[in-house]
Amino acid sequence: MKYEVDERGFYGEFGGAFIPELLHHNCEELSQALKQYADTKAFKDEFNLLLKDYVGRPSPLYFAPNLSKKYKTNILLKREDLNHTGAHKINNAIGQALLAKRMGKTKIIAETGAGQHGVATATVCALMGLECIVFMGEIDIARQAPNVARMKMLGAEVVPATSGSKTLKDATNEAIRYWINHPETFYIIGSVVGPHPYPAMVTKFQAIISEEIKTQMKEKYGKENPDYVIACVGGGSNAAGAFYHFLEEENVKLITVEAAGLGVESGETAATTIKGTEGIIHGSRTLLMQDKDGQIVEPYSISAGLDYPGVGPLHAHLFKTRRAKFLNATDDEALKAAFMLTKEEGIIPALESSHALAALEKIDFKPQDIVILNLSGRGDKDLETYMKVSEKYS
Ligand SMILES: *Cc1c(COP(=O)(O)O)cnc(C)c1O
């Protein structure tokens, strides 16, 4: 099990829990609860029932005929965009909220970038009667207005993060700061980042994606393994979920797509594995963009969900061991891909997922290949951005 987390929370040399003394108890308590509850039948039954009846799982594995023709191969979209609240984030939010309830917690905090994790968390808090505070960068509050409105309607308090680049990293800083001062709260992290046990826990809850892919592959093609699985990477949770059950299947090619922003050499980018070095961010040892003094270099992407200066420790490990191939797509390439999918298949993708779609241009597929692309979310939240550029791309 080369790609499984170890007892101390490491994937190879990446991971761990590099946190202030004041947070040790919280992380320890969470690790215990995860061990105690997450694998019990009662927990799994409750989780799976909500995924089925509330989220609408299994999400379809859709054979995209026009896309397949265009790229001369077999392309299937894993439709996480069809989940309740519009992205994969809800899978993890439900898992963590169920854990929080078992731990007797009544107050939830979360960080959000594009607002999808904030909406997912506010949604489960409404469902389960939990108090909810969401930290969000000031810039993201402006560029993802529909999601801010949804969170408020769902009863969450949205707190602006005003430091740094006023985006996802800064929202995460604020959430961690609040958590240190209010240790009675439960922090629902939205990606495979943060101190142990978060990366492994979020991977566990998102692994439903690849579990379903295996079953759906078997039904359609009589075998469980595709040739490719492609996913975009911000922190890396949709990719971790789509990859998980294929990690040890070395003949399945795993492709991750990072946000290149204005270009990897432009200084305005979020392509962490190219521009990053090893260091510690938000409690784990991983790859991140930093200057020679260890100061974080502000990331940039048109997509708020990918605008993060690090990747989770699992992805740092997949990069280092070359188990996954890391590509990237610029704002321009992602926008092109968004309009392309809309025209070809009648599906408006999230800007984040459009980065994964842009990778279809960059890989030489064989006609018999089976290519699965994780369509992490839908584009409703990005309509304003799409409208602004529609003349150029449609
Ligand atoms: C949050 C988000 C992402 C990026 O987060 P990961 O943890 O890397 O998956 C990608 N796509 C959508 C639609 C999102 O909402």
Side-chain angles (χ1 to χ4, degrees):
M1 300 297 274
K2 276 188 282 188
Y3 308 105
E4 199 57 70
V5 75
D6 70 19
E7 226 350 81
R8 290 159 45 247
F10 281 85
Y11 297 92
E13 65 198 270
F14 302 108
F18 299 88
I19 45 176
E21 186 62 33
L22 287 166
L23 284 181
H24 273 277
H25 175 72
N26 296 36
C27 287
E28 194 45 44
E29 187 188 25
L30 179 59
S31 288
Q32 288 306 328
L34 192 63
K35 276 194 198 125
Q36 186 180 347
Y37 300 115
D39 292 316
T40 62
K41 184 173 181 310
F43 185 95
K44 288 200 266 188
D45 284 351
E46 198 177 351
F47 182 53
N48 288 330
L49 188 66
L50 282 169
L51 289 183
K52 177 169 172 281
D53 291 343
Y54 191 68
V55 177
R57 305 201 70 93
S59 67
L61 185 64
Y62 166 65
F63 177 81
N66 303 323
L67 217 51
S68 298
K69 204 165 155 200
K70 181 173 163 68
Y71 292 102
K72 301 186 174 59
T73 188
N74 303 287
I75 300 177
L76 295 105
L77 302 176
K78 180 61 173 161
R79 299 290 308 273
E80 294 299 298
D81 62 313
L82 293 178
N83 291 342
H84 180 44
T85 70
H88 64 289
K89 298 271 170 36
I90 189 86
N91 306 325
N92 165 55
I94 288 179
Q96 289 195 49
L98 287 178
L99 211 51
K101 279 193 76 163
R102 279 170 171 73
M103 292 165 72
K105 305 273 182 178
T106 56
K107 185 165 168 183
I108 302 293
I109 59 169
E111 84 297 335
T112 199
Q116 287 302 113
H117 176 58
V119 168
T121 303
T123 297
V124 298
C125 286
L127 174 69
M128 298 183 194
L130 300 163
E131 194 186 334
C132 181
I133 303 177
V134 179
F135 296 88
M136 186 172 191
E138 220 171 29
I139 299 235
D140 293 337
I141 288 180
R143 63 177 161 176
Q144 307 281 194
N147 274 344
V148 177
R150 290 161 86 196
M151 284 183 264
K152 289 186 175 161
M153 182 160 175
L154 288 159
E157 183 189 345
V158 180
V159 178
T162 54
S163 62
S165 57
K166 306 182 175 59
T167 58
L168 181 53
K169 155 183 73 71
D170 313 289
T172 310
N173 287 340
E174 288 301 324
I176 292 176
R177 202 165 295 144
Y178 188 94
W179 197 30
I180 290 173
N181 292 321
H182 302 82
E184 77 288 358
T185 56
F186 187 104
Y187 181 13
I188 299 190
I189 295 185
S191 191
V192 287
V193 301
H196 180 64
Y198 280 99
M201 174 173 65
V202 177
T203 299
K204 184 184 182 75
F205 293 142
Q206 291 292 2
I208 184 70
I209 301 174
S210 47
E211 191 182 318
E212 287 175 7
I213 292 174
K214 283 203 159 213
T215 309
Q216 292 165 323
M217 274 293 301
K218 187 102 196 181
E219 281 166 16
K220 282 184 202 288
Y221 297 101
K223 59 174 185 178
E224 290 186 337
N225 291 353
D227 297 286
Y228 289 87
V229 183
I230 305 174
C232 65
V233 171
S237 68
N238 87 90
F243 292 173
Y244 183 76
H245 289 286
F246 302 113
L247 287 172
E248 310 286 337
E249 312 276 342
E250 304 269 353
N251 56 343
V252 179
K253 299 180 193 75
L254 306 176
I255 310 280
T256 68
V257 189
E258 295 184 294
L262 300 183
V264 287
E265 298 306 331
S266 68
E268 299 287 326
T269 187
T272 304
T273 57
I274 295 183
K275 301 310 286 182
T277 50
E278 292 169 22
I280 290 166
I281 182 170
H282 297 142
S284 70
R285 182 174 172 73
T286 188
L287 291 169
L288 67 139
M289 303 197 301
Q290 55 188 334
D291 66 17
K292 60 181 190 329
D293 300 322
Q295 291 297 313
I296 296 198
V297 172
E298 298 295 346
Y300 165 78
S301 165
I302 191 173
S303 147
L306 304 183
D307 201 349
Y308 185 73
V311 288
L314 168 62
H315 294 288
H317 184 53
L318 295 179
F319 177 75
K320 190 91 184 224
T321 57
R322 302 184 187 211
R323 173 64 188 96
K325 187 165 178 180
F326 284 69
L327 303 179
N328 57 77
T330 61
D331 290 0
D332 179 56
E333 291 168 326
L335 286 169
K336 249 183 228 149
F339 282 83
M340 180 278 295
L341 184 73
T342 304
K343 204 147 97 196
E344 294 288 348
E345 299 287 345
I347 298 171
I348 303 177
L351 260 172
E352 290 79 13
S353 323
S354 303
H355 286 73
L357 289 159
L360 295 173
E361 295 281 341
K362 301 172 188 240
I363 304 166
D364 267 328
F365 299 113
K366 297 195 194 78
Q368 70 274 21
D369 281 341
I370 295 174
V371 178
I372 292 180
L373 189 145
N374 198 42
L375 199 69
S376 55
R378 67 176 89 124
D380 308 27
K381 69 184 176 54
D382 300 308
L383 274 187
E384 203 181 307
T385 306
Y386 290 153
M387 295 300 286
K388 274 191 208 143
V389 298
S390 68
E391 239 164 69
K392 180 166 174 204
Y393 292 96
S394 54

